[in-house]
Amino acid sequence: MDLVVQSTQGETMGTTWSVRAVLPVELSLQTWHDGIQAALDLVDGQMSTYKPQSDLSRFNSAPAGTWHVLPTECFHVVKHALSVARDSGGAYDPTVGPLVNLWGFGPDASRYEPPSSEAMAAASERVGWWKLRLDEATHSLYQPGGIYLDLSSVAKGYSVDLVGQYLDGLGMGAWLVEVGGELKGKGTKPDRSSWRIGVERPGAARGAVEHADQLSQVLTLSGRAIATSGDYRRHFTADDVRYSHHIDPRTGRPVAHKVASVSVLASDAMHADPIGTLMTVLGPEQGLPWASERGLAVMFILHGANGLEERLSPAFAAALAS
């Protein structure tokens, strides 16, 4: 039986997705395109802040003092996001949505100048992961009033994992799933080589792995996931100051570090995705020790005096060496 790498693609969550998988030559991955799209639509329908009828949007607009039963998938993602918030002391906070929106990086209109300190103070009053309560038995989430959850830093990663689970359920043993730049791979190609991906250099045009001048590192992804967060796609400049879409929930302002991008390797994309956001908020001086203590594989690309510079955690360096 001849095996070949086949591919299919589509759109979801305001971005694109693609899947490559090893299949017998007589079968087409397009056959399962609708099943892949359905898994992605499920995540978008539950966790989008752009869809007024999503489970997350309905929670965000709910009155104070109410409990809301969430679908299993959404509850799982919220629970994980809150665990990262707790472990990071609030440097990562999925309730940062009011500040993200205020700075023009959410569903609300874009802006081209910083908000007033009064507006930032009012939005910050609505931020605080510790205000939320979960009921494991009923998969319910408590709305204390004014809390606006934003799962954009974790939902894409979870959707990658969900598509991988769907492909596993079909008996596919080798695949590479990508959603909006977050990736996870499993197995090997017919020639027994691993899935290879390139970490994009900030500011470079998006290119394939062979365009080495546009890539910082090339990695194999068989059995692991990678998520990359960067300041180079969403930002605005006012009075010669550049404002990134990464908001520090502790200050209410975009991060001021010289971080161009952060890439995180993990066993699954849901765990990699929010760590990239957290590392961008912490910056390399705090972020690398935090990641190293937990054995996390993290690579910072920084704006240095002489161009872009890399700083790696020991686990990321070991992953490259392997």
Side-chain angles (χ1 to χ4, degrees), residues 65-317:
T66 54
W67 284 92
H68 300 270
V69 177
L70 299 178
T72 298
E73 296 83 4
C74 189
F75 185 86
H76 179 59
V77 172
V78 170
K79 181 181 176 183
H80 179 65
L82 292 179
S83 74
V84 177
R86 182 180 302 108
D87 194 26
S88 68
Y92 171 85
D93 192 333
T95 71
V96 75
L99 287 165
V100 173
N101 295 344
L102 179 66
W103 281 90
F105 298 117
D108 298 344
S110 299
R111 66 183 303 134
Y112 303 98
E113 61 182 20
S116 68
S117 9
E118 292 80 12
M120 279 193 285
S124 294
E125 284 293 317
R126 298 176 55 198
V127 175
W129 64 271
W130 63 90
K131 300 175 184 178
L132 291 170
R133 287 152 56 193
L134 294 171
D135 186 325
E136 293 269 7
T138 62
H139 280 190
S140 298
L141 182 63
Y142 179 73
Q143 171 60 275
I147 286 291
Y148 181 101
L149 269 171
D150 183 345
L151 298 176
S152 58
S153 60
V154 62
K156 271 197 308 179
Y158 177 74
S159 71
V160 169
D161 298 334
L162 196 65
V163 170
Q165 292 169 24
Y166 171 72
L167 298 176
D168 286 344
L170 297 174
M172 295 186 192
W175 44 258
L176 179 68
V177 176
E178 178 265 335
V179 179
E182 322 294 4
L183 300 104
K184 183 177 181 180
K186 180 181 179 181
T188 57
K189 291 182 278 189
D191 62 2
R192 297 188 179 179
S193 64
S194 297
W195 302 106
R196 295 173 69 243
I197 63 98
V199 179
E200 180 183 346
R201 290 182 67 83
R206 300 191 76 172
V209 115
E210 57 267 21
H211 298 300
D213 59 325
Q214 297 180 353
L215 301 176
S216 178
Q217 298 287 357
V218 176
L219 296 153
T220 59
L221 269 198
S222 297
R224 60 191 177 193
I226 189 169
T228 298
S229 298
D231 74 347
Y232 47 98
R233 292 208 178 104
R234 297 183 67 198
H235 61 271
F236 70 86
T237 302
D239 295 329
D240 296 324
V241 178
R242 190 176 191 222
Y243 296 97
S244 160
H245 75 283
H246 288 289
I247 308 298
D248 187 335
R250 302 166 300 179
T251 66
R253 303 181 62 84
V255 296
H257 308 300
K258 298 298 185 182
V259 176
S261 72
V262 180
S263 295
V264 181
L265 284 167
S267 58
D268 59 62
M270 184 184 74
H271 285 81
D273 204 355
I275 298 301
T277 299
L278 169 61
M279 291 294 106
T280 303
V281 170
L282 289 179
E285 302 308 322
Q286 296 179 54
L288 280 173
W290 192 93
S292 298
E293 287 170 8
R294 291 159 179 79
L296 301 179
V298 171
M299 177 177 72
F300 282 89
I301 298 182
L302 308 172
H303 295 291
N306 300 310
L308 296 175
E309 303 172 357
E310 293 179 4
R311 292 183 63 182
L312 281 59
S313 72
F316 202 101

